[in-house]
Amino acid sequence: MILRAYNCEYAEIDLLENVAVLELMRPEIFNNVLLDLTDPTFPAREVAIEDGDKMLTANAICCVSDLLELSLSGKTLLGKLYKHIDNSVFSDPEEKMNLDNSISRLRQYFLETLQCLDVDLETSPTVEVKDVCAMFGLMPFCATDSVACKIEQFITLCSELKLCKVLVLIQAKAYMDDLSLESVYRNALRHRIGLIMVESAHRQEKLYAEKKIIVDKDFSDQIL
């Protein structure tokens, strides 16, 4: 996957080998880049992402603008996780049979325990994998409450669940130190999720795997 910047001497960044850091100090260019990444059109305003001979569409790009609000336990994400577990783990006939037997034993125990009530009760004849996941409150786990840990787990989910091919983090450097950033970068490269950092300020240092495109307030551009 190649990120191309059309107004910066046609600069390009291989997103499977590098982390693209776009340091854009002109508000109009910053906004145009975000529009290109959230609503890709042809021709692009500033940037485009090519995958082979095609331009990536919006559904292959995930943009996160508020890292503090990034949730790993939202209904939509958990629904995709539960469906993935059903399709990838319990598509195996033996595993599905073992699960059904366990559910049957639990149902029998539950009904026998409730016989003390003077009420006629019944259970659903079928219990799906998603019901079991919800019963156990299954959700992605983060070892710490740090933003970096949450992003790394989200990148892993993007890879496992095929949520997107490219993840765009907006102003993310304000939330993480250099070691945390490099850990996030390594995780993205390991899982082959393209990572683009969009920032409104320039930093002199260049971290592991970063390739920078810088546009200053005078429209001068630089590729590092």
Side-chain angles (χ1 to χ4, degrees), residues 1 15-16 18 164-168 188 191-196:
M1 290 184 294
L15 295 177
L16 297 181
N18 304 277
C164 64
K165 292 184 176 182
V166 173
L167 177 62
V168 180
H191 286 96
R192 301 186 68 76
I193 295 293
L195 183 61
I196 301 174

Side-chain angles (χ1 to χ4, degrees), residues 31-61:
N31 291 335
N32 282 341
V33 166
L34 293 187
L35 286 173
D36 282 336
L37 295 173
T38 56
D39 182 24
T41 58
F42 183 83
R45 304 167 185 85
E46 299 286 344
V47 299
I49 304 171
E50 296 176 5
D51 188 10
D53 59 351
K54 296 181 179 179
M55 189 169 75
L56 279 192
T57 58
N59 60 6
I61 305 170

Side-chain angles (χ1 to χ4, degrees), residues 59-102:
N59 60 6
I61 305 170
C62 178
C63 292
V64 179
S65 59
D66 190 345
L67 294 178
L68 296 180
E69 293 298 319
L70 177 62
S71 173
L72 301 180
S73 58
K75 185 176 180 180
T76 300
L77 181 59
L78 290 182
K80 291 180 179 181
L81 175 61
Y82 297 169
K83 183 177 181 180
H84 178 68
I85 291 171
D86 191 1
N87 293 337
S88 62
V89 178
F90 294 101
S91 60
D92 181 280
E94 184 176 353
E95 293 296 343
K96 187 63 169 67
M97 183 179 67
N98 290 337
L99 177 63
D100 289 341
N101 289 339
S102 297

Side-chain angles (χ1 to χ4, degrees), residues 73 78 81-82 130-141:
S73 58
L78 290 182
L81 175 61
Y82 297 169
K130 66 177 182 178
D131 301 322
V132 179
C133 292
M135 181 180 72
F136 286 115
L138 188 70
M139 65 180 62
F141 169 75

